[in-house]
Amino acid sequence: MATEAANTPEIGPAIQEQRKARRLTLEQLAALSGVSKSMLSQIERGKANPTFAVLWSLTRALKIEFSDLLEGRTPSGDDSAIEVVPASHTPEIKNADGSCVLRILSPPNLAGRIEWYGLEIAAGGILDSAPHAPGAFEHLTAFTPGLEVSSGDSCRSIGAGETARYPADVPHRIANVSSEPAKGLLIVLYN
């Protein structure tokens, strides 16, 4: 049993080390991660065992991989200044029939302010959207031909390389009217 305990990662000190290496106060890490200052203090002192969700929030805020934290590895050198999100960790949203895939490319802390997505729509696929918050606007840049955008009563086709900007606080949709898959970059701005 002593061997197992010796192999148990010391999460609290590792979190504290990463926080201090980034010159963050408990208050700053709490604001970045959404984990309360008192909980962070307890975790760092080994007085509380964080849940998976709490650890995930902390690793995202510290820009370290969850596995590195558990294995006691820490980012070194200039690599810690660059966050690389593996493709397998990029969340996807699919519409009901699976013809549209949105890959969430923006960081979670910007949700509700600005969001960007990699968009893929199968031939004939349609992404219907209910109105977003008042003042919301979308910017769709087509990487391939065949995309058609509708916003309220307006409808426009856009070609490869073109960008459509339109109100997203009304019912809107993006359709692939071609016989080939279509791709683009979708940015949503909230007022």
Side-chain angles (χ1 to χ4, degrees):
M1 289 295 206
T3 303
E4 290 177 357
N7 292 332
T8 303
E10 294 188 29
I11 301 291
I15 294 288
Q16 184 179 51
E17 179 184 339
Q18 291 298 313
R19 176 179 62 80
K20 288 183 175 181
R22 287 160 180 75
R23 294 186 174 99
L24 294 172
T25 65
L26 283 172
E27 293 85 1
Q28 290 168 324
L29 183 54
L32 288 171
S33 66
V35 177
S36 73
K37 178 184 167 188
S38 62
M39 176 58 81
L40 281 172
S41 176
Q42 290 178 25
I43 291 168
E44 287 187 0
R45 292 181 289 126
K47 302 291 184 190
N49 290 321
T51 64
F52 178 79
V54 167
L55 284 178
W56 183 258
S57 295
L58 291 171
T59 57
R60 296 297 89 200
L62 291 167
K63 298 182 179 176
I64 59 175
E65 289 298 321
F66 187 75
S67 58
D68 289 345
L69 180 67
L70 292 179
E71 294 171 11
R73 295 189 313 249
T74 56
S76 60
D78 293 333
D79 291 344
S80 63
I82 300 172
E83 177 184 12
V84 176
V85 179
S88 61
H89 292 142
T90 302
E92 291 184 349
I93 303 169
K94 294 183 181 182
N95 67 346
D97 68 4
S99 65
C100 300
V101 177
L102 290 169
R103 298 187 74 225
I104 304 172
L105 304 175
S106 50
N109 63 329
L110 293 179
R113 291 185 287 163
I114 180 171
E115 301 165 1
W116 55 95
Y117 304 89
L119 173 68
E120 295 181 24
I121 304 179
I126 297 173
L127 178 62
D128 272 314
S129 297
H132 300 317
F137 235 78
E138 289 187 355
H139 302 249
L140 173 64
T141 300
F143 295 155
T144 59
L147 290 174
E148 182 180 86
V149 176
S150 300
S151 174
D153 294 330
S154 298
C155 183
R156 294 284 303 264
S157 293
I158 60 172
E162 294 183 324
T163 299
R165 297 181 177 98
Y166 50 92
D169 57 358
V170 295
H172 55 286
R173 67 188 260 183
I174 303 168
N176 179 359
V177 295
S178 76
S179 58
E180 299 291 327
K183 293 183 179 185
L185 176 67
L186 177 64
I187 299 174
V188 184
L189 296 174
Y190 295 92
N191 189 3

